[in-house]
Amino acid sequence: DRDPNRIQVFANNELQYGIASSGNGPSRFRDPIDIAVGPAGFVYVLDKAGPALRIFGRDGAFVREVQILQSLPDPVSIAIDGDGTILIASSSNAGRVYTFPPFHEIPWTGTMSTQGFAVAATGKAGAVASDATGISLILDTEDRRLWGGQRIEPDQASLARPLYGGIGTGRGSFRSPVDITFTPERDVLI
Protein backbone atom coordinates (compact mmCIF):
# COMPACT_ATOMS: atom_id res chain seq x y z
CA ASP A 1 0.00 0.00 0.00
CA ARG A 2 2.05 2.90 -1.29
CA ASP A 3 0.36 5.91 0.33
CA PRO A 4 0.96 4.88 3.95
CA ASN A 5 4.08 2.95 2.79
CA ARG A 6 3.16 -0.39 4.31
CA ILE A 7 2.68 -4.03 3.44
CA GLN A 8 -0.28 -6.00 4.73
CA VAL A 9 -0.44 -9.79 4.75
CA PHE A 10 -3.83 -11.42 4.19
CA ALA A 11 -4.86 -15.07 4.51
CA ASN A 12 -8.33 -16.62 4.46
CA ASN A 13 -9.80 -13.21 3.56
CA GLU A 14 -8.50 -11.63 6.78
CA LEU A 15 -5.66 -9.29 7.62
CA GLN A 16 -3.03 -11.36 9.43
CA TYR A 17 -0.33 -8.76 10.13
CA GLY A 18 1.51 -5.78 8.69
CA ILE A 19 5.11 -5.47 7.64
CA ALA A 20 6.80 -2.16 8.49
CA SER A 21 5.39 1.27 7.70
CA SER A 22 6.64 4.64 6.57
CA GLY A 23 9.47 6.47 8.29
CA ASN A 24 13.22 6.51 8.58
CA GLY A 25 15.40 3.59 9.53
CA PRO A 26 16.37 0.34 7.84
CA SER A 27 13.08 -1.44 8.53
CA ARG A 28 10.91 1.51 7.36
CA PHE A 29 9.67 2.37 3.87
CA ARG A 30 9.94 5.73 2.19
CA ASP A 31 8.93 4.89 -1.41
CA PRO A 32 8.19 1.16 -1.85
CA ILE A 33 7.63 0.34 -5.52
CA ASP A 34 7.64 -3.45 -5.82
CA ILE A 35 7.54 -6.62 -3.75
CA ALA A 36 8.59 -10.23 -4.32
CA VAL A 37 8.68 -13.43 -2.29
CA GLY A 38 11.72 -15.67 -2.51
CA PRO A 39 11.85 -19.47 -2.43
CA ALA A 40 12.47 -19.58 1.35
CA GLY A 41 9.51 -17.29 2.03
CA PHE A 42 11.50 -14.11 2.60
CA VAL A 43 9.70 -10.94 1.51
CA TYR A 44 11.78 -8.53 -0.60
CA VAL A 45 10.66 -4.90 -0.87
CA LEU A 46 12.26 -2.61 -3.43
CA ASP A 47 12.26 0.90 -1.99
CA LYS A 48 13.04 3.59 -4.55
CA ALA A 49 14.18 5.97 -1.79
CA GLY A 50 17.83 5.30 -1.27
CA PRO A 51 17.44 3.13 -3.32
CA ALA A 52 17.37 0.13 -1.03
CA LEU A 53 16.22 -3.46 -0.84
CA ARG A 54 14.53 -4.36 2.45
CA ILE A 55 14.16 -8.02 3.39
CA PHE A 56 11.69 -9.46 5.91
CA GLY A 57 11.02 -12.96 7.21
CA ARG A 58 7.77 -14.73 6.40
CA ASP A 59 6.54 -13.66 9.86
CA GLY A 60 7.13 -9.99 9.00
CA ALA A 61 10.27 -9.61 11.13
CA PHE A 62 12.90 -7.30 9.64
CA VAL A 63 15.96 -9.24 8.43
CA ARG A 64 18.18 -6.69 6.71
CA GLU A 65 18.50 -3.68 4.46
CA VAL A 66 20.83 -3.60 1.47
CA GLN A 67 21.64 -0.23 -0.05
CA ILE A 68 21.79 -0.17 -3.85
CA LEU A 69 24.42 2.08 -5.37
CA GLN A 70 23.35 4.95 -7.59
CA SER A 71 24.84 3.07 -10.55
CA LEU A 72 21.46 1.33 -10.64
CA PRO A 73 19.25 4.34 -11.36
CA ASP A 74 15.46 4.26 -11.36
CA PRO A 75 14.80 0.74 -10.04
CA VAL A 76 11.24 -0.24 -10.97
CA SER A 77 10.75 -3.96 -10.41
CA ILE A 78 12.16 -6.91 -8.48
CA ALA A 79 11.96 -10.67 -8.95
CA ILE A 80 13.57 -13.58 -7.10
CA ASP A 81 14.30 -16.80 -8.94
CA GLY A 82 14.26 -20.35 -7.63
CA ASP A 83 17.72 -20.25 -6.03
CA GLY A 84 17.22 -16.80 -4.50
CA THR A 85 19.05 -14.82 -7.19
CA ILE A 86 17.77 -11.23 -7.09
CA LEU A 87 16.78 -9.50 -10.35
CA ILE A 88 16.15 -5.74 -10.35
CA ALA A 89 14.90 -3.90 -13.44
CA SER A 90 15.94 -0.32 -14.09
CA SER A 91 13.89 1.98 -16.29
CA SER A 92 17.11 3.87 -17.14
CA ASN A 93 20.31 2.55 -18.73
CA ALA A 94 18.56 1.12 -21.81
CA GLY A 95 16.15 -0.86 -19.65
CA ARG A 96 18.66 -3.18 -18.07
CA VAL A 97 17.94 -5.92 -15.59
CA TYR A 98 20.66 -6.44 -13.02
CA THR A 99 21.28 -9.71 -11.21
CA PHE A 100 22.62 -10.09 -7.69
CA PRO A 101 23.41 -13.20 -5.66
CA PRO A 102 20.95 -14.40 -3.02
CA PHE A 103 20.86 -11.95 -0.11
CA HIS A 104 22.61 -14.35 2.28
CA GLU A 105 25.63 -14.22 -0.08
CA ILE A 106 25.77 -10.40 -0.13
CA PRO A 107 28.23 -9.00 2.43
CA TRP A 108 26.50 -7.69 5.56
CA THR A 109 28.38 -4.43 5.30
CA GLY A 110 28.56 -2.07 2.36
CA THR A 111 26.21 -1.81 -0.58
CA MET A 112 25.10 -3.80 -3.59
CA SER A 113 27.03 -2.80 -6.68
CA THR A 114 26.01 -3.42 -10.26
CA GLN A 115 29.63 -3.65 -11.36
CA GLY A 116 30.53 -7.13 -12.55
CA PHE A 117 26.95 -8.33 -12.88
CA ALA A 118 25.26 -9.23 -16.13
CA VAL A 119 22.60 -7.12 -17.77
CA ALA A 120 19.91 -7.75 -20.32
CA ALA A 121 19.12 -4.80 -22.56
CA THR A 122 15.63 -3.83 -23.67
CA GLY A 123 13.96 -0.55 -24.60
CA LYS A 124 12.61 0.41 -21.18
CA ALA A 125 12.23 -2.26 -18.53
CA GLY A 126 8.98 -1.78 -16.66
CA ALA A 127 8.81 -5.11 -14.86
CA VAL A 128 10.76 -8.32 -14.38
CA ALA A 129 9.65 -11.82 -13.39
CA SER A 130 11.46 -15.10 -12.84
CA ASP A 131 10.24 -18.63 -12.26
CA ALA A 132 11.71 -21.40 -10.11
CA THR A 133 13.76 -22.76 -13.03
CA GLY A 134 15.53 -19.47 -13.72
CA ILE A 135 13.52 -18.39 -16.77
CA SER A 136 13.48 -14.59 -16.68
CA LEU A 137 10.99 -12.31 -18.41
CA ILE A 138 11.32 -8.57 -18.94
CA LEU A 139 8.33 -6.42 -19.80
CA ASP A 140 9.46 -3.57 -22.05
CA THR A 141 6.97 -0.74 -21.45
CA GLU A 142 8.44 1.46 -24.19
CA ASP A 143 8.35 -1.00 -27.11
CA ARG A 144 5.49 -2.92 -25.43
CA ARG A 145 7.23 -6.21 -25.93
CA LEU A 146 7.98 -9.23 -23.74
CA TRP A 147 11.61 -10.33 -23.64
CA GLY A 148 12.89 -13.52 -22.08
CA GLY A 149 15.68 -15.96 -21.64
CA GLN A 150 17.47 -18.35 -19.35
CA ARG A 151 18.90 -17.22 -16.03
CA ILE A 152 21.19 -14.25 -16.40
CA GLU A 153 24.32 -15.41 -14.59
CA PRO A 154 26.49 -12.95 -12.66
CA ASP A 155 29.68 -11.98 -14.50
CA GLN A 156 28.34 -13.25 -17.84
CA ALA A 157 26.74 -10.78 -20.24
CA SER A 158 23.45 -12.09 -21.54
CA LEU A 159 20.88 -10.48 -23.78
CA ALA A 160 17.23 -11.36 -23.59
CA ARG A 161 15.44 -12.26 -26.82
CA PRO A 162 12.06 -10.88 -27.90
CA LEU A 163 9.23 -13.33 -27.29
CA TYR A 164 6.09 -11.50 -28.39
CA GLY A 165 4.21 -8.28 -28.17
CA GLY A 166 4.45 -4.91 -29.80
CA ILE A 167 2.32 -1.78 -29.90
CA GLY A 168 -1.30 -2.47 -30.75
CA THR A 169 -4.58 -3.98 -29.68
CA GLY A 170 -4.44 -7.26 -31.58
CA ARG A 171 -3.73 -10.70 -30.17
CA GLY A 172 -0.32 -10.72 -28.49
CA SER A 173 0.01 -6.92 -28.69
CA PHE A 174 -0.01 -4.46 -25.80
CA ARG A 175 -1.31 -0.92 -25.45
CA SER A 176 -0.06 -0.04 -21.97
CA PRO A 177 1.48 -3.02 -20.14
CA VAL A 178 2.26 -2.47 -16.45
CA ASP A 179 3.44 -5.67 -14.74
CA ILE A 180 4.26 -9.32 -15.33
CA THR A 181 4.27 -12.49 -13.23
CA PHE A 182 4.22 -16.28 -13.47
CA THR A 183 1.44 -18.50 -12.15
CA PRO A 184 2.47 -21.67 -10.24
CA GLU A 185 1.83 -23.56 -13.51
CA ARG A 186 4.35 -21.24 -15.24
CA ASP A 187 1.73 -19.40 -17.30
CA VAL A 188 2.60 -15.75 -17.85
CA LEU A 189 0.26 -12.95 -16.76
CA ILE A 190 0.72 -9.44 -18.20
Side-chain angles (χ1 to χ4, degrees):
D1 192 357
R2 198 165 179 188
D3 187 22
N5 292 330
R6 65 181 178 189
I7 295 174
Q8 299 181 71
V9 179
F10 292 84
N12 301 320
N13 296 321
E14 291 185 20
L15 176 64
Q16 300 297 309
Y17 56 91
I19 297 177
S21 60
S22 63
N24 292 321
S27 66
R28 302 292 182 174
F29 303 130
R30 290 186 297 170
D31 191 10
I33 55 172
D34 202 10
I35 186 171
V37 177
F42 290 99
V43 177
Y44 297 75
V45 180
L46 184 59
D47 196 334
K48 197 169 186 172
L53 177 62
R54 293 185 172 77
I55 304 166
F56 299 85
R58 62 174 64 206
D59 61 354
F62 176 71
V63 174
R64 75 181 283 201
E65 174 189 60
V66 181
Q67 290 292 320
I68 301 169
L69 290 179
Q70 294 302 322
S71 57
L72 197 162
D74 300 319
V76 293
S77 183
I78 185 171
I80 313 299
D81 77 7
D83 73 354
T85 297
I86 302 165
L87 294 90
I88 299 178
S90 168
S91 65
S92 295
N93 289 341
R96 292 182 175 144
V97 173
Y98 298 87
T99 61
F100 301 93
F103 84 86
H104 60 272
E105 295 178 16
I106 298 171
W108 282 83
T109 58
T111 59
M112 288 172 65
S113 170
T114 58
Q115 186 175 3
F117 292 99
V119 297
T122 66
K124 183 175 182 180
V128 63
S130 186
D131 73 359
T133 67
I135 299 294
S136 299
L137 299 176
I138 305 160
L139 182 60
D140 181 337
T141 56
E142 184 175 280
D143 295 334
R144 298 179 185 110
R145 186 171 303 278
L146 183 68
W147 296 74
Q150 294 293 323
R151 174 179 294 150
I152 304 166
E153 297 291 341
D155 299 322
Q156 296 177 5
S158 175
L159 294 177
R161 68 182 192 289
L163 298 178
Y164 49 85
I167 300 171
T169 58
R171 184 177 173 94
S173 299
F174 309 112
R175 288 186 70 166
S176 186
V178 175
D179 203 359
I180 184 170
T181 192
F182 282 97
T183 67
E185 296 79 22
R186 297 184 59 216
D187 294 326
V188 177
L189 304 176
I190 300 172

